[in-house]
Amino acid sequence: MTTVLFTAGLGLWAAPGAVAGNPARVRLSVDEDPIVPRLAASLGFFKAEGLDVVDLLTVSPEDYLLQAPLIKGQIDASYHWFNHAVFGARHNLPVTAVMVFNDAPGMTVLVANRVKGQVRSAADFKGRNVAEGAGYGTKSLLTNYLATQAGLPPHSFTPVMLEHDGRQEAVIKGLGEGTVDVMTFQEPITSALLATGMVAPLFDLNSKESTEKVLGAAWPAQSLLMAPEFIRLHPAVVQSLVNAFVRTMRFINHHTVDEIVAQLPPEYFVGKNRAAEINFIKSTMPTLAKDDYSFSPESVKLVIDTVQSFDFDRSKEGKWRATAENPRIDADQLYDNRFVEKAMKEIK
């Protein structure tokens, strides 16, 4: 994944509180290019909260190592998956999540129609060929978690079509040739596979409600992550940033896709297929948290359990995620609901 940085300059923490009417500078790294920060800027919510969160800048493709830059003060906050807080805790690189943006992972487990009658649960993954993405990623992690929860031992199925480039085409070809049985994907690949008429949904992880039915709890995906020291030193800035994002989420929750798209800045669509991008926004809207952007103990425990039970692959990233200098994790240290609860109470 590519990480981008909303920034007004680089350097270590420099007391970002507003001074003499100047806005407080916040350096925010972002996974991919989600609509929430774009809307927060275009709707004026950052400015209204006295924040300077500007300028897109590519920083590093190694986004899984975001904990150290946060702790060192090279960035102030990160808009990324909550499981990075778990990985940080395992490596004694603690980061704290202060708000949830997506409470579902936005994934669908699909089964090839030719074996649909034989694969009716995760227990039926045994002996099957499964396309689940890279062996260090969340698609693979959740697919394996479903299998283990269904009673299968590790390595009960064969991962196939692991390469990122050309994966969609490879899976469609594999469906035609009968070499793939089960698939776990996100949009837009999910829709592309369904459009072939060769697959059917098995597990829906695209909304909080459907995810709770499958996994037993919501899954905090994209979240707002910060270093504990930054939170301690700059609580007013944290509150302002959370306020701006809560205002943005309220807007998203109570407006149509067309109304949301109308508020996105024109540069958001530069280099993109506008129609395809709007379809992507529409299809992923159910993954966004609705009205409640806090963490529940049950959802945090779910993420910890999935990480700790997964046998990551032997890639560089997989080996880092698999290791743990600190195998015992204090769940309460991974998140802090104070700021988002205050914002949700005051912002309707």
Side-chain angles (χ1 to χ4, degrees), residues 38-285:
R38 294 282 198 164
L39 287 169
S42 65
L43 291 168
F45 295 149
F46 287 148
K47 184 176 181 180
E49 289 291 337
L51 300 175
D52 180 15
V53 187
V54 294
D55 294 338
L56 281 171
L57 174 68
T58 299
V59 272
S60 170
E62 303 291 351
D63 61 339
Y64 71 94
L65 298 176
L66 59 84
Q67 298 86 357
L70 282 169
I71 293 170
K72 294 177 181 177
Q74 296 168 324
I75 53 178
D76 303 316
S78 183
Y79 186 117
H80 221 304
W81 286 62
F82 173 71
N83 55 18
H84 289 288
V86 179
F87 297 132
R90 284 161 63 89
H91 284 276
N92 293 319
L93 296 169
V95 297
T96 302
V98 296
M99 178 178 178
V100 175
F101 299 109
N102 302 74
D103 51 13
M107 299 172 187
T108 305
V109 181
L110 305 156
V111 58
N113 286 339
R114 61 180 175 77
V115 295
K116 186 167 60 173
Q118 304 165 36
V119 180
R120 299 180 178 178
S121 73
D124 299 322
F125 293 175
K126 183 177 180 180
R128 298 292 178 180
N129 289 336
V130 179
E132 57 177 357
Y136 56 79
T138 307
K139 292 187 290 294
S140 181
L141 184 152
L142 286 174
T143 305
N144 280 264
Y145 184 73
L146 287 169
T148 57
Q149 290 299 105
L152 293 183
H155 311 295
S156 293
F157 57 82
T158 303
V160 295
M161 302 162 194
L162 303 179
E163 296 78 9
H164 182 273
D165 293 338
R167 183 180 293 162
Q168 177 178 310
E169 294 77 10
V171 172
I172 292 175
K173 183 173 182 288
L175 283 168
E177 296 174 347
T179 57
V180 60
D181 305 311
V182 177
M183 298 130 276
T184 301
F185 283 106
Q186 295 169 292
E187 292 293 352
I189 295 180
T190 296
S191 290
L193 294 177
L194 287 169
T196 67
M198 292 189 286
V199 301
L202 182 62
F203 296 115
D204 179 0
L205 304 176
N206 289 285
S207 71
K208 177 182 180 181
E209 294 75 19
S210 64
T211 300
E212 287 175 336
K213 289 180 181 178
V214 175
L215 298 177
W219 176 276
Q222 300 280 17
S223 304
L224 185 60
L225 307 172
M226 294 180 167
E229 185 70 358
F230 184 89
I231 296 171
R232 186 185 71 80
L233 291 174
H234 307 296
V237 174
V238 177
Q239 189 65 66
S240 292
L241 186 59
V242 170
N243 288 351
F245 279 135
V246 167
R247 293 184 193 279
T248 308
M249 294 297 292
R250 297 288 197 221
F251 176 87
I252 291 172
N253 292 160
H254 300 288
H255 287 79
T256 66
V257 171
D258 288 343
E259 290 169 333
I260 292 167
V261 168
Q263 294 298 327
L264 286 168
E267 58 267 25
Y268 177 80
F269 294 98
V270 173
K272 301 175 182 177
N273 180 309
R274 184 180 179 90
E277 191 64 27
I278 293 173
N279 283 335
F280 175 78
I281 292 171
K282 186 178 298 184
S283 62
T284 56
M285 199 61 60

Side-chain angles (χ1 to χ4, degrees), residues 328-342:
R328 298 185 63 183
I329 298 175
D330 184 349
D332 292 339
Q333 298 301 309
L334 301 181
Y335 67 103
D336 185 342
N337 281 332
R338 290 176 299 158
F339 303 97
V340 74
E341 287 176 348
K342 183 175 188 297

Side-chain angles (χ1 to χ4, degrees), residues 296-316:
S296 72
E298 295 79 16
S299 63
V300 170
K301 182 179 184 300
L302 172 62
V303 176
I304 295 172
D305 288 347
T306 57
V307 169
Q308 291 186 322
S309 65
F310 185 45
D311 184 13
F312 291 91
D313 70 10
R314 303 307 295 167
S315 66
K316 181 180 178 182

